[in-house]
Amino acid sequence: MDKMGRKSLLLISFGGMALSMLLLSLSFTWKALAAYSGTLAVVGTVLYVLSFSLGAGPVPALLLPEIFASRIRAKAVALSLGMHWISNFVIGLYFLSVVTKFGISSVYLGFAAVCVLAVIYIAGNVVETKGRSLEEIELALNSGA
C-alpha cells in the first residue's frame, strides 16, 4: 500500500470489481456466451476476489484512521467500520431475496454500477495519504487541499 498508494489501489480494486460483475452479468444473459457461462462465471468470481483483496478489502481499514482528526479518530473509525459490517450483513441477508425478485444478472449489473460510482467518488474525493504523516494529512484535509 505504501508503494502504490491507497487511492490508486482503491481505483484499481473497484474498477476490477466492476469489470468482474459486468462479466458475471453478461455470462448469465448473453445467449452467445452460453457455452462458456460456467468458465466465465469462475473467471468473473476469481477476478472479483482478486480485485477486492487488492484494495476494497484492506485499504479502508488503513485509510480511515489516517483521514480522521486525532481528537475523533477512535470513535469515527469504530463508527465507520461498524457501519461497514452492518452494511455487509444487510446485503448478505437480503441478497437471495433480491436475486429472486430481479434475477442474478440484474443484481450483478447493479453491483457493477455501484462499483463504477465508487470509482468516480474515489477519483474526485479521496485524498492520497501515501508518504504523508498523520499531521500532514489532517492539515491538508482541514485546508481543503
Side-chain angles (χ1 to χ4, degrees):
M1 280 190 232
D2 287 335
K3 289 184 180 180
M4 289 195 65
R6 286 94 166 126
K7 185 174 183 174
S8 60
L9 284 173
L10 285 173
L11 290 170
I12 292 167
S13 178
F14 278 101
M17 289 165 45
L19 287 174
S20 67
M21 290 291 108
L22 183 61
L23 178 63
L24 282 165
S25 179
L26 294 176
S27 73
F28 293 122
T29 307
W30 282 9
K31 301 293 184 221
L33 299 175
Y36 308 105
S37 65
T39 303
L40 290 173
V42 170
V43 168
T45 303
V46 170
L47 178 62
Y48 179 85
V49 171
L50 176 67
S51 298
F52 179 83
S53 65
L54 286 175
V59 170
L62 180 64
L63 184 65
L64 287 171
E66 293 178 336
I67 62 173
F68 287 118
S70 58
R71 67 185 183 285
I72 64 163
R73 185 169 294 133
K75 290 179 182 175
V77 170
L79 181 64
S80 298
L81 292 177
M83 287 305 301
H84 172 80
W85 281 103
I86 290 169
S87 299
N88 285 340
F89 175 75
V90 170
I91 289 169
L93 186 64
Y94 290 107
F95 178 76
L96 291 178
S97 300
V98 173
V99 167
T100 301
K101 184 169 184 163
F102 298 106
I104 191 74
S105 182
S106 297
V107 172
Y108 283 146
L109 202 56
F111 286 156
V114 169
C115 289
V116 168
L117 291 174
V119 168
I120 294 167
Y121 178 82
I122 291 164
N125 296 303
V126 173
V127 64
E128 180 57 73
T129 62
K130 178 178 85 168
R132 299 165 92 181
S133 70
L134 294 175
E135 292 78 17
E136 290 171 334
I137 295 166
E138 187 173 348
L139 190 62
L141 289 172
N142 285 336
S143 68

